[in-house]
Amino acid sequence: MILRYESGSMSKNGIRNRFIIVALFLAFLSYEILSFDFGSGLYIISLVFLCLGSLLKDYVFTGVLNIFTGKNYYLLFYLLLHGIGFFTYHLRLYLGLAVYDHSEDLINRALLYSVIAVLIFLLSYSFGKRFIHIKIYSFSNVRFKKLFNDSRTKWILLLLGICLFTGLLWGLMGNIPILIENYHQSARAEVGKGLGFIEAISRSLINLSLLYFIVCFKKRLFPLFFWIFALFIISLFLLNMDRGGLMKYLLSIWIVYFVCIKRTTIKHFLVACFLLVILAGAMGAMRTKNLADLAILGGIILTEASVEFDNYVEVFNMTEKDGYLYGSTLVPIATLPVPRVIMPDKDKYLTAGNYFKEYHNHTHIRVGERISYVGELYLNFGFPGIILGMVLVGILLSVVDGSLDASSVLSVYLYLQFINTFSGLNAGDIATTVIGFFMNNLLVVTSLAFVCLLICKQKIHAKDFC
């Protein structure tokens, strides 16, 4: 667990003042929620206390806003989807933008399952922290031989590699994504067909660029090259119109800063969240190519937030009508990486998002529709699936949190990849999330597998020699 605090933050006056602030915040929030909807509000308040309890407790007693542990990071995204999603659903309903008009009983049932799911997660996480002590190798003893006199050379070569494969991808697609008409509606699936391997290398190289920021933050060095490097990577995301990727990348840099340099204050947290939300909304307006949308940026942000909640509630209607899928949406974990030359009919194995899309005949949507992790578990296996799925995530995240070694560049990098993957899993579509992890880390996973193979081979030879 990452805990840092400034001198004086543990004083009795400091603890008392923070306790009063937190108590007033929770009291005001509870009153507003219950005033909006008393029945559903009880479930929402339960989610708030369960998801923010550990975070607020750490803040009261240490002054640390300990956001970027795997546990708290996962819970914040969970609250965004299941808690805030409830209110953004009602906003869409009020504006006439909601696809579904769920009954109050159905919403309360979905919220009850959300509360039970997060409670199972917390119990599993606590169990894992106490009884399961599996250490992920931290690579703290790994040292790389210096090949270049100038330390920037390897990072320049990395940027050239990114340019090479990104340019190759754009060339095969026929244009830069920002210039392709309807790229985020229907064109992407067509122009990107058969280019999955090249896209994986490009994404993996871009992801590897996070190593540079980890090194800079650890050394507290921010030369001009640092800012050029950052602007170059951000520009690539903008040219690719990859809003989700850019948000995740910027959050990753924030996590590195938190781990390597300084804790996050409430002021910094609020300012950073505001800027990220504005950037996300602005990119949404850019996708529509309608400058008038910039004038109603706040409305766009609110109506786009946590749309997975609507689909999550709809899952309960689907299972009552047609039953469970018994794991069929997990099959694409094995089929998605297979080239179409080998398996031309692999599209018949649908991810949860694509199944939901086809079930409702939403042909206007290019990609699959997220239904939340809890929703996909329920869609496949019902309530027992939710229990088993949340136990698995809780235990795995307890191992990830217990294995972070902030002194190791590779350990911090792997920590980033794991907690980003688990937080992204909240939105649902398990197969897409798992495959996305391997696409973003293709080169790292391949390299680590090769190293492990060599180590095992050496051990076997040593055993034979003895």
Side-chain angles (χ1 to χ4, degrees), residues 170 173 175-184 235-242 283 286-287 289:
W170 290 348
M173 288 169 57
N175 210 334
I176 301 173
I178 197 173
L179 301 178
I180 298 176
E181 192 71 24
N182 296 320
Y183 180 73
H184 284 280
S235 297
L236 285 181
F237 282 110
L238 293 174
L239 291 173
N240 280 318
M241 291 303 291
D242 185 1
M283 288 192 70
M286 287 171 62
R287 285 183 178 183
K289 297 183 178 179

Side-chain angles (χ1 to χ4, degrees), residues 30-61:
S30 299
Y31 173 77
E32 291 296 324
I33 291 173
L34 292 175
S35 298
F36 180 81
D37 188 322
F38 185 84
S40 299
L42 293 174
Y43 295 115
I44 301 297
I45 291 171
S46 298
L47 286 173
V48 169
F49 277 82
L50 289 171
C51 293
L52 299 183
S54 176
L55 183 69
L56 295 178
K57 179 182 176 182
D58 287 343
Y59 172 70
V60 168
F61 286 101

Side-chain angles (χ1 to χ4, degrees), residues 110-126:
L111 287 173
L112 173 61
Y113 278 48
S114 298
V115 171
I116 294 173
V118 75
L119 185 58
I120 295 296
F121 167 82
L122 290 169
L123 291 173
S124 303
Y125 182 91
S126 298

Side-chain angles (χ1 to χ4, degrees), residues 33-34 99 156 175 222 249 273 336 345:
I33 291 173
L34 292 175
V99 178
I156 293 173
N175 210 334
F222 309 102
Y249 194 89
C273 285
L336 280 175
D345 62 341

